[in-house]
């Protein structure tokens, strides 16, 4: 196991950490937040702790320390953990790494969270050359931190980058950057059972380009925010409107990768549905207009007896990591899972319906409205299958049951 002293010694000596290499902790004065003012902070120094099987540091081997970074171990930020929603709560640090066109990402750095500077002609602003990911960190009762399948997000970003003509961090660089960012913002991770730390990696064409072409420079950035439930209903059933005129994706397009433009395209239908009291929109395929695709930012599952069906990944549907995990969990619980074309008629005849995603995890569907007709499932409560799968997956993510799937990365 690498020692922390050896790791820190590998950095250039002009960083803020250098004067205190022999110290077990370094304290900084936290910035005032515009969202929570004034904040109260209780500082508590602790010894660095590492997992026995693998070395974890707030700074990865692929990172340097910006002159704004200082290592600190503190009590939790003083915010109302019992009433977290799904909105941005600025944390302390973000991770930034850059590379040129045709090059490779090398060393990134932790910087104070804040605005970034972009040329008005940046590729991401003019041509939408950008991707993002989403994953979560959870705090256990013993204080250790859990990440859920971060390597899957790394692989998906690389697949999306190939489609969008962008270089991407390696899987190792991605995962190391996530670990570094999470540990640098550890005090913003909610107490066990109070929520999670949402982690948002971005990859964008940050270089200036006027004509339509790949950008000459790329930025990989990670920021984080503590979050509660995505839907205001929480685990309570949500209500979906089936959209049959507007479409999220087309065959041969970018619906199967997590590019930024996919999400702006759903805002019109989503806003109209929410204005009418619906939770979100379920989209149909654009060719036959009768097969289910996905909700604005979630995959959908239909339950009939012991069979759980979900639309197959065929280029227009995002290969969700929670989707993939739920399929494996469902198999382990004795369900038959089918990935195939699922018609809207099957949706109408289902025993139960639920959606999955990083933000929502598993959310039961209480009703769907299609062509002016509303259909409710069950008696308006949480379906048995939805509850079962939600319980197994969330208990696994939070470290409450044994991880037989080898999905969890634990940081201490």
């Amino acid at each position: 196991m690498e020692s922390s002293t050896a790791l820190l010694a590998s950095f250039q000596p002009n960083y803020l950490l250098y004067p205190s290499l022999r110290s077990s902790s370094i304290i900084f004065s936290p910035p005032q937040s515009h969202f929570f003012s004034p904040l109260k902070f209780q500082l508590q120094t602790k010894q660095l702790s590492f997992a026995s099987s693998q070395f974890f540091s707030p700074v990865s081997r692929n990172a340097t320390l910006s002159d704004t970074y200082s290592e600190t171990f503190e009590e939790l930020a003083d915010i109302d953990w019992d009433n977290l929603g799904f909105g941005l709560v600025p944390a302390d640090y973000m991770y930034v790494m850059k590379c040129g066109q045709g090059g490779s990402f090398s060393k990134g750095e932790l910087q104070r969270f804040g605005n970034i500077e972009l040329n008005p002609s940046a590729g991401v602003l003019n041509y939408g050359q950008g991707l993002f990911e989403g994953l979560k960190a959870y705090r256990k009762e013993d204080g250790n931190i859990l990440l859920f399948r971060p390597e899957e997000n790394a692989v998906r970003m690389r697949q999306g980058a190939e489609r969008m003509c962008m270089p991407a961090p390696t899987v190792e660089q991605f995962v190391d950057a996530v670990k570094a960012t999470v540990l640098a913002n550890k005090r913003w991770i909610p107490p066990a059972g109070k929520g999670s730390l949402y982690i948002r990696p971005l990859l964008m064409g940050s270089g200036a380009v006027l004509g339509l072409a790949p950008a000459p420079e790329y930025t990989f950035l990670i920021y984080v925010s503590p979050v509660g439930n995505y839907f205001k209903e929480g685990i309570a059933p949500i209500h979906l409107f089936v959209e049959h005129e507007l479409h999220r994706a087309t065959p041969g397009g970018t619906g199967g990768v997590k590019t930024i433009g996919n999400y702006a395209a759903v805002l019109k239908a989503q806003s109209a549905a929410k204005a009418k009291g619906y939770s979100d929109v379920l989209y149909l395929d654009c060719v036959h207009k009768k097969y289910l695709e996905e909700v604005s930012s979630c995959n959908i599952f239909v339950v009939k007896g012991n069979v759980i069906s979900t639309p197959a990944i065929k280029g227009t549907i995002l290969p969700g990591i929670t989707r993939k995990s739920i399929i494996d969990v469902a198999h382990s619980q004795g369900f038959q899972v089918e990935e195939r074309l699922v018609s809207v008629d099957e949706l109408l005849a289902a025993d139960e319906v639920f959606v999955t995603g990083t933000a929502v995890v598993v959310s039961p569907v209480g009703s769907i409205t299609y062509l002016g007709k509303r259909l409710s499932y069950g008696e308006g409560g949480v379906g048995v299958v939805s509850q079962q799968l939600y319980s197994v997956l969330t208990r696994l993510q939070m470290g409450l049951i044994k991880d037989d799937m080898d999905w969890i990365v634990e940081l201490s």
Side-chain angles (χ1 to χ4, degrees), residues 340-401:
R340 56 176 176 80
L341 290 174
V342 181
S343 71
V344 71
D345 290 336
E346 292 179 77
L347 178 72
L348 300 176
D351 298 332
E352 192 177 330
V353 177
F354 62 88
V355 300
T356 65
T358 298
V360 304
V361 187
V362 175
S363 190
V365 175
S367 73
I368 60 102
T369 299
Y370 176 58
L371 298 178
K373 295 182 180 180
R374 183 180 179 120
L375 173 68
S376 297
Y377 298 98
E379 299 179 356
V382 178
V384 174
V385 176
S386 302
Q387 183 65 65
Q388 180 179 348
L389 298 180
Y390 173 84
S391 296
V392 174
L393 185 59
T394 54
R395 286 172 61 81
L396 193 156
Q397 289 176 328
M398 293 186 285
L400 299 176
I401 59 175

Side-chain angles (χ1 to χ4, degrees), residues 119-129 205-216:
N119 190 294
S121 191
V124 67
L125 298 179
N126 290 260
Y127 301 115
Q129 195 183 21
S206 51
V209 56
L210 185 60
L212 179 58

Side-chain angles (χ1 to χ4, degrees), residues 43-345:
L43 304 184
Q44 179 179 343
T45 60
K46 298 181 180 179
Q47 295 294 324
L48 290 167
S49 176
F50 307 99
S52 59
S53 60
Q54 190 173 358
F55 173 73
F56 297 118
S57 167
V59 186
S60 72
R61 295 176 180 82
N62 296 311
T64 59
L65 302 172
S66 78
D67 57 7
T68 62
Y69 177 82
S70 61
E71 193 172 344
T72 183
F73 298 91
E74 302 179 352
E75 296 294 345
L76 295 176
D78 186 17
I79 63 176
D80 187 357
W81 297 109
D82 292 318
N83 291 292
L84 276 178
F86 200 92
L88 178 64
V89 179
D92 296 322
Y93 293 104
M94 60 187 183
Y95 184 98
V96 180
M97 183 163 56
K98 294 179 180 289
C99 87
Q101 183 181 6
S104 299
F105 285 94
S106 55
K107 289 189 175 182
E109 66 177 21
L110 289 162
Q111 301 177 0
R112 288 283 190 180
F113 177 84
N115 295 340
I116 61 174
E117 184 175 297
L118 283 175
N119 190 294
S121 191
V124 67
L125 298 179
N126 290 260
Y127 301 115
Q129 195 183 21
L131 298 163
F132 74 91
E133 280 296 327
L135 62 159
K136 290 178 176 178
Y138 296 86
R139 186 186 297 273
K140 292 174 63 181
E141 292 287 355
D142 64 7
N144 285 356
I145 307 304
L146 304 181
L147 302 176
F148 184 70
R149 310 190 76 176
E151 72 288 343
E152 292 286 339
N153 295 90
V155 170
R156 188 170 65 179
M157 175 169 275
R158 289 183 61 80
Q159 292 170 343
E162 192 279 330
R163 177 66 176 84
M164 300 299 289
C165 298
M166 297 191 289
T170 65
V171 172
E172 181 182 13
Q173 286 175 324
F174 182 103
V175 174
D176 281 352
V178 167
K179 293 174 185 175
T181 311
V182 168
L183 291 176
N185 293 287
K186 188 173 181 180
R187 70 192 186 91
W188 294 98
I189 304 174
K194 300 289 187 181
S196 59
L197 187 73
Y198 188 81
I199 306 161
R200 174 57 61 82
L202 301 170
L203 180 62
M204 65 187 111
S206 51
V209 56
L210 185 60
L212 179 58
E217 179 191 76
Y218 296 87
T219 298
F220 174 68
L221 184 152
I222 303 176
Y223 68 92
V224 298
S225 175
V227 296
N229 291 319
Y230 181 77
F231 290 118
K232 60 182 175 58
E233 296 90 343
I235 187 60
I238 62 171
H239 304 282
L240 299 180
F241 177 82
V242 181
E243 177 60 57
H244 58 92
E245 293 181 356
L246 299 177
H247 298 282
R248 176 189 168 275
T250 59
T254 59
V257 298
K258 207 167 175 66
T259 182
I260 58 178
N262 290 349
Y263 296 85
V266 307
L267 294 177
K268 182 176 182 178
Q270 186 189 61
S271 297
K274 288 188 173 183
K276 296 177 181 178
Y278 299 104
S279 307
D280 215 326
V281 175
L282 171 60
Y283 293 89
L284 302 178
D285 77 290
C286 68
V287 178
H288 304 95
K289 298 186 178 183
K290 70 173 186 177
Y291 295 110
L292 310 184
E293 294 236 311
E294 63 178 88
V295 181
S296 301
S297 58
C298 308
N299 295 113
I300 190 158
F301 290 78
V302 174
V303 181
K304 189 69 174 179
N306 195 53
V307 179
I308 302 175
S309 303
T310 190
I313 301 299
K314 52 183 176 60
T316 57
I317 298 171
L318 187 72
I321 294 163
T322 308
R323 173 191 181 275
K324 181 178 182 179
S325 303
I326 279 293
I327 289 173
D328 289 342
V329 168
H331 281 305
S332 74
Q333 297 295 301
F335 292 98
Q336 178 183 336
V337 181
E338 297 178 352
E339 299 179 70
R340 56 176 176 80
L341 290 174
V342 181
S343 71
V344 71
D345 290 336

